[in-house]
Each structure stands twice: as C-alpha cells, then as structure tokens.
C-alpha cells in the first residue's frame, strides 16, 4: 500500500491507521464533498464558513473536518466538548486571534461532540465567529435543532452526513484487507453479517476487522462462528433523545397506516434498543383512540387488557400480549372522527363563552330552583320509543343557529352502524319526535 493513502503505525488502532489522508479518499459523503456539493464548493474556493457536521458515529465527521481545513489552507485546532471548558476555548480564540493579527493563515476550530457544550460556552464562541477570528467546524450526533443555541445555528450551516451503506462498508473492508495484504477469514455470508454488525459505523467495522485479522482459523469462519467470536453491537438508540422520538413516530405512523409488519418492526427496534415496553403500550393506547376510535372500540380494550397482562406476567412471555395488541390496532378499521369532534367542540366552546344551559336539563334540588323553572319540561328518554325523546340539550343560543354536527362518523367498521343511528335520530328530531 502506498503512503499516500495510509500511514502505518503499529501502536495505532486500525481505524486511525487507515484514516483517509485526502478528501478524495473519504467514503460515503459524496452529497457534501463532490465538486458541486456544499463542502466541495468551499474546498474549491479555499474559503470556509462555519458549519456543523451532524451524523451517526463512524461516518467521517472528524476526518472531513481535518481534511477540509488542511486542503483549504487553514490552521486547525481540535477540541472536544467532553473534556474542554470555557478556559480552553478562550485559549483557542486567543491563538486564532494572534495568528490573524500577525498576518498568518486563518484558523478553523473543530469541536467534537459540540452538543455537549453548555449554553454559556456556546454563547462564548459567538463574538469570535461573528468577527471572523476563527471558523467553527462542529461535529455532533444529536439533532442541532435541539442541542445548539439558535444564535449559533444562525451563524453556522448544518450539513447532514449519511449513515454508511453496504457498499460503503464493503469498501472499508477492502481497504483493511489491502492494508493487511490478505482477505478476512470469512465465508461470504459471514462477511455480509460482519457488515450488518457494523450498523453503518466504519470505525466500529475496522475494529472488528482488526480483531478478525489477528485470528488464524483453519478455515474461513461461517456466520455462527463469527457470532461466537464477536458480540453483536447494540443498536444506536438513545431513549432520552431524538432517536427515541423518531422510532416512536415511525411506530405510530405504521399503526395509523395499517402496516402491521412495519409496526411490529419498529416496536422490535425499540425493544432491542432497551426501550421500556410501557412506552410502547402508551403509544399504542394513543393510536387505539386517535386512529381507530369508534371504528372499533375494542381496540382500546385490547390494548389496556394486553398492557395489564404484560404488567402481571412480565418478560419474556409478555411479548405475546404486546404483539397481539400491536396487530389488533394496526389491522383495525381506522377513524379519527372522535377526536376531531372534540376539537370542534373545543372551538365552539371557546367561541360561544359561558352560555347558560337549558333549564329543562338542570336538576332542581331546592325549592327556589323549582320556582325558577329548573327541570321543568324534562323528558325521560327511556319513557319514549327507542329510548329517544328528541329534546334539545344545547344552550338555546347554539340550538337556534343549528350548528353542523361535531361528530361525523365514517363509513368504516363500527362507525357505519353509529352513522345509521345518528341519521335515524336526526330524522326523528326534524319530525318533532
């Protein structure tokens, strides 16, 4: 292997040894680094503006920061928000300011794990970025919209790095094999399994390659043998951060879209990632009401019953109840008519204020209330055919305007029967019954 691509150092981890030495060697981020990409244009003009690289671990954030600064002719200062405080940041600003005042080249300050900086530390950078003392290059695995202050976001573009795909990771393996001048000791299926274990992370994959290259098996390893040697990586899932809400959103939308397989998959992704099953049951309960509603009232019963059974039995058998509840909600007929009706009722209540209710539906527990006409004229519905009196229950001012129905059931599932009842009762009201 030529020295232009890799620097050999026995004491370095393979991922550091094979770190690309030019932008052209970076894998998988062509949308940013191609000549027409935003970073490619900066590189062509040799003029950087502040930006933040957002993406999962092991996709090249640090490498890109180093190389784009070097190839653009910028002094490079690297900090980590995990171990850097405001004193270290001030030293970097002072160094960049001194270099600029002496007529030296511009400075790029790279801050890894930028989201870990507190708001005061982020704010402390703003004047130096604003007056051009240095260009900020940040790296973060968390959504900048949530983790960075708005003033910083207004001064730095955010570029999203892609998770590395199968072909990208295959190229990473090929570089490792070229470095060692021998193939990985794996059969083809095990090679595919190794890529899956990496879960889009080139740095992690190179660590696996380094471990495998130290083995001397009598024959290439199959998938089972590989699994016995290398423990599978835990999926990327932070129960308190964006990934948590992303997967819940995917789960709920799959339920709403009646895609039972996708709903089961997203639930499994959360369970494998260590999510509390109660979180999944809570979202199921919401979907059973918001998206199924009266089209199948049993959906809520199924979910709550399954939830109670899960709490009594626990794992692993409790997965049976969760699976049943998911499949029921996903395959049930859908209607959001109930909650839309409440939204309309809330709007009507806000618009009409504190209108008095009709006296005939008020109880009259005192003599004074009876004298005032409370409860006079009330008709007990069970005394009428079909247990329907046809009385008015709205305040008089609303009843006089004949508002459109708030609840409008769909022609799906059980709501089809409800719609027939409402049509029947509406006809009886209009006929005076």
């Amino acid at each position: 292997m030529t020295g232009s691509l890799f620097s050999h150092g026995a004491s370095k981890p393979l991922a550091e040894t094979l770190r690309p030495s030019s932008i052209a060697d970076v894998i998988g981020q062509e949308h940013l680094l191609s000549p027409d990409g935003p970073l490619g244009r900066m590189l062509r003009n040799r003029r950087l503006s502040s930006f933040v690289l957002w993406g999962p671990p092991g996709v090249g954030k640090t490498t890109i920061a180093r190389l784009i600064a070097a190839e653009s002719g910028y002094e490079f200062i690297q900090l980590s928000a995990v171990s850097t405080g405001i004193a270290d940041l001030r030293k970097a600003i002072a160094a960049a300011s001194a270099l600029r005042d002496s007529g030296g080249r511009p400075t790029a300050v790279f801050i890894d794990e930028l989201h870990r900086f507190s708001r005061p530390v982020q704010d402390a950078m703003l004047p130096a970025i604003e007056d051009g003392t240095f260009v900020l290059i940040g790296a973060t695995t968390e959504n900048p919209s949530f983790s960075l202050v708005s003033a910083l976001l207004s001064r730095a573009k955010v570029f999203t790095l892609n998770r590395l795909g199968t072909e990208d990771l295959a190229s990473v393996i090929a570089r490792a094999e070229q470095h060692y001048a021998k193939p990985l000791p794996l059969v083809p299926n095990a090679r595919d399994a190794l890529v899956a274990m990496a879960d889009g992370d080139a740095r992690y994959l190179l660590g696996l390659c380094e471990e495998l290259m130290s083995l001397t098996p009598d024959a290439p390893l199959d998938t089972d043998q590989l699994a016995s040697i290398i423990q599978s990586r835990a999926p990327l899932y932070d129960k308190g951060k964006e990934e948590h809400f992303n997967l819940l959103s995917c789960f709920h939308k799959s339920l709403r879209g009646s895609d039972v397989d996708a709903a089961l998959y997203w639930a499994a992704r959360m369970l494998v990632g260590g999510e509390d099953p109660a979180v999944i049951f809570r979202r199921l309960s919401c979907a059973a009401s918001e998206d199924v509603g009266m089209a199948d009232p049993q959906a809520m019963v199924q979910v709550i019953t399954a939830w109670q059974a899960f709490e009594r039995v626990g794992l692993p058998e409790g997965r049976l109840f969760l699976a049943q509840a998911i499949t029921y909600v996903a395959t049930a007929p859908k209607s959001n008519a109930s909650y839309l009706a409440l939204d309309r009722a809330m709007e009507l209540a806000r618009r009409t204020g504190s209108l008095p209710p009709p006296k005939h539906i008020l109880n009259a527990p005192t003599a004074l209330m009876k004298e005032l006409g409370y409860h006079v004229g009330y008709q007990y519905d069970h005394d009428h055919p079909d247990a329907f009196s046809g009385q008015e229950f709205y305040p008089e001012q609303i009843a006089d305007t004949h508002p459109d129905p708030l609840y409008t059931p769909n022609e799906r599932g059980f709501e089809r029967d409800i719609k027939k009842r409402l049509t029947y009762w509406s006809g009886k009201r209009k006929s005076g019954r």
Side-chain angles (χ1 to χ4, degrees):
M1 202 55 227
T2 64
S4 62
L5 287 181
F6 308 111
S7 58
H8 296 271
S11 62
K12 293 182 181 179
L14 183 62
E16 185 63 30
T17 301
L18 299 188
R19 188 184 292 276
S21 58
S22 73
I23 285 291
D25 295 331
V26 175
I27 291 173
Q29 309 303 335
E30 290 80 5
H31 65 296
L32 298 176
L33 299 174
S34 67
D36 294 328
L39 293 179
R41 290 194 299 271
M42 286 189 196
L43 194 57
R44 187 172 65 245
N45 296 328
R46 294 176 62 86
R47 183 176 179 83
L48 305 182
S49 57
S50 293
F51 60 89
V52 175
L53 299 172
W54 171 33
V59 296
K61 295 186 291 295
T62 301
T63 297
I64 290 172
R66 289 181 181 179
L67 293 177
I68 200 167
E71 295 186 20
S72 299
Y74 279 63
E75 185 74 17
F76 187 73
I77 298 176
Q78 180 168 345
L79 303 173
S80 173
V82 175
S83 57
T84 297
I86 196 165
D88 299 300
L89 179 60
R90 285 173 176 160
K91 289 179 183 178
I93 294 173
S97 179
L99 187 62
R100 183 183 63 172
D101 293 343
S102 66
R105 58 182 182 166
T107 299
V109 175
F110 172 64
I111 302 176
D112 198 13
E113 303 288 344
L114 180 60
H115 59 275
R116 292 183 179 270
F117 265 161
S118 65
R119 294 182 67 90
V121 177
Q122 291 184 39
D123 289 337
M125 293 189 289
L126 298 177
I129 296 173
E130 187 74 32
D131 66 13
T133 299
F134 68 81
V135 168
L136 170 69
I137 304 177
T140 179
T141 57
E142 297 192 7
N143 190 329
S145 300
F146 304 140
S147 59
L148 302 184
V149 298
S150 57
L152 185 57
L153 286 174
S154 70
R155 292 165 173 81
K157 298 181 179 68
V158 175
F159 298 129
T160 304
L161 276 70
N162 294 331
R163 179 181 182 273
L164 297 182
T166 301
E167 293 183 3
D168 299 324
L169 295 175
S171 297
V172 172
I173 292 177
R175 291 188 179 184
E177 291 175 326
Q178 193 171 11
H179 172 75
Y180 285 103
K182 64 179 182 178
L184 286 171
L186 299 172
V187 301
N189 287 345
R191 192 183 183 95
D192 295 339
L194 183 71
V195 169
M197 286 179 180
D199 197 19
D201 186 333
R203 182 170 52 245
Y204 183 74
L205 177 59
L206 287 171
L208 299 180
C209 290
E210 188 170 18
E211 184 175 350
L212 289 170
M213 286 299 191
S214 67
L215 304 176
T216 56
D218 295 332
L221 305 173
D222 61 23
T223 303
D224 291 339
Q225 291 169 320
L226 174 66
S228 68
I229 294 171
I230 297 176
Q231 185 176 4
S232 180
R233 182 188 195 190
L236 177 64
Y237 187 69
D238 188 335
K239 291 185 287 183
K241 301 294 174 63
E242 186 193 9
E243 191 72 10
H244 161 84
F245 297 105
N246 283 347
L247 266 59
L248 274 177
S249 177
C250 294
F251 175 60
H252 194 149
K253 288 180 173 65
S254 299
L255 293 169
R256 180 181 297 149
S258 301
D259 191 332
V260 60
D261 291 339
L264 288 165
Y265 167 76
W266 292 116
R269 278 278 299 271
M270 288 185 280
L271 290 172
V272 169
E275 185 60 86
D276 182 353
V279 172
I280 302 174
F281 272 114
R282 280 197 292 271
R283 186 55 63 101
L284 262 175
S285 302
C286 293
S289 181
E290 177 184 354
D291 299 302
V292 178
M294 291 302 292
D296 187 350
Q298 279 297 312
M300 181 65 76
V301 177
Q302 286 280 330
V303 171
I304 298 303
T305 302
W307 195 349
Q308 291 172 339
F310 183 94
E311 290 178 336
R312 292 185 179 187
V313 175
L315 289 171
E317 292 88 349
R319 294 185 306 165
L320 302 172
F321 316 134
L322 179 60
Q324 180 177 341
I326 292 171
T327 53
Y328 195 101
V329 173
T331 58
K334 303 299 190 294
S335 173
N336 63 352
S338 292
Y339 94 81
L340 289 180
L342 181 59
D343 285 348
R344 297 182 188 114
M346 296 287 286
E347 173 58 28
L348 180 62
R350 283 190 289 265
R351 192 172 68 248
T352 55
S354 302
L355 296 176
K359 288 184 178 180
H360 65 270
I361 62 172
L362 297 177
N363 290 331
T366 69
L368 175 61
M369 295 170 78
K370 290 177 181 177
E371 291 176 9
L372 294 174
Y374 283 47
H375 205 64
V376 174
Y378 174 69
Q379 300 181 44
Y380 188 55
D381 286 86
H382 294 284
D383 290 339
H384 294 264
D386 300 319
F388 180 79
S389 67
Q391 280 195 301
E392 183 60 67
F393 297 95
Y394 265 136
E396 182 179 349
Q397 294 89 331
I398 295 178
D400 289 344
T401 63
H402 301 290
D404 292 331
L406 302 179
Y407 174 56
T408 55
N410 296 288
E411 287 283 354
R412 292 190 291 274
F414 185 65
E415 279 198 324
R416 190 178 294 117
D417 294 327
I418 297 175
K419 190 170 186 177
K420 291 177 183 177
R421 295 179 203 168
L422 292 176
T423 301
Y424 172 71
W425 290 331
S426 177
K428 293 195 72 171
R429 279 198 181 92
K430 291 177 181 177
S431 66
R433 284 293 307 271

